[in-house]
Amino acid sequence: MSDKVFLDTNILVYCSDENDIQKQKKAREIVESLLKTHSGVISTQVLQEFYNVSTKKLKTEKSLAMKDVEDYSVAFPVHNNTPKDILSAISISISTQYTIYDSLIIAAAKAEGCDVVYSEDLNDGQVVEGVKIENPLK
């Protein structure tokens, strides 16, 4: 078993979200722990979604959100989604009824050999193609 954990966008967003201090604290603890153990993985999709949510929902200044994206892309290995990942995501979407975007998170995690995806949005405890979904914020 791998010790790698794939982070869904919402975990990174909560690190910056001052509207929910408890989730912010927990998300920061998760990120710090994964940085210490070098076990966290993200994808280009996560970085794009993070920037979008940060600037639109959290109203973060674009240059600051860009700096956060740069920092995360240096701190964690970043998976670049491929056509193979997209096809895998479509298959996952068909079997689970998840959106293509949520399915692409799982496909990227699988491609990186992660056993776990940390996500608040997906079904906690569900295993999809060998990847377990865990909500560490509950």
Side-chain angles (χ1 to χ4, degrees):
M1 273 200 155
S2 168
D3 61 348
K4 294 196 288 184
V5 175
F6 195 94
L7 292 172
D8 196 353
T9 308
N10 49 54
I11 305 299
L12 299 184
V13 168
Y14 276 122
C15 288
S16 300
D17 188 354
E18 296 178 357
N19 296 315
D20 191 330
I21 299 302
Q22 283 187 310
K23 285 187 179 179
Q24 181 189 54
K25 182 178 185 265
K26 183 67 175 166
R28 287 180 175 178
E29 289 170 358
I30 291 163
V31 168
E32 287 174 21
S33 173
L34 293 174
L35 288 172
K36 285 180 186 174
T37 60
H38 304 284
S39 55
V41 179
I42 58 176
S43 67
T44 51
Q45 175 191 359
V46 168
L47 294 171
Q48 292 165 327
E49 290 176 355
F50 172 83
Y51 178 83
N52 187 56
V53 172
S54 292
T55 58
K56 303 280 194 231
K57 181 182 174 195
L58 302 181
K59 307 291 187 206
T60 303
E61 184 181 316
K62 290 180 178 183
S63 61
L64 293 176
M66 181 179 169
K67 176 72 170 113
D68 287 340
V69 167
E70 182 180 17
D71 290 347
Y72 285 130
S73 68
V74 170
F76 293 108
V78 179
H79 177 78
N80 291 300
N81 290 321
T82 66
K84 182 178 178 182
D85 297 324
I86 294 167
L87 291 170
S88 176
I90 292 168
S91 177
I92 291 167
S93 178
I94 291 168
S95 67
T96 64
Q97 300 303 303
Y98 282 143
T99 67
I100 187 66
Y101 304 106
D102 288 341
S103 298
L104 193 53
I105 293 292
I106 297 167
K110 182 179 172 187
E112 286 295 323
C114 297
D115 290 323
V116 176
V117 170
Y118 281 172
S119 177
E120 183 184 51
D121 296 337
L122 301 173
N123 294 331
D124 186 41
Q126 183 178 14
V127 178
V128 179
E129 298 201 13
V131 178
K132 184 175 183 182
I133 298 162
E134 291 184 12
N135 179 357
L137 301 175
K138 62 179 182 179

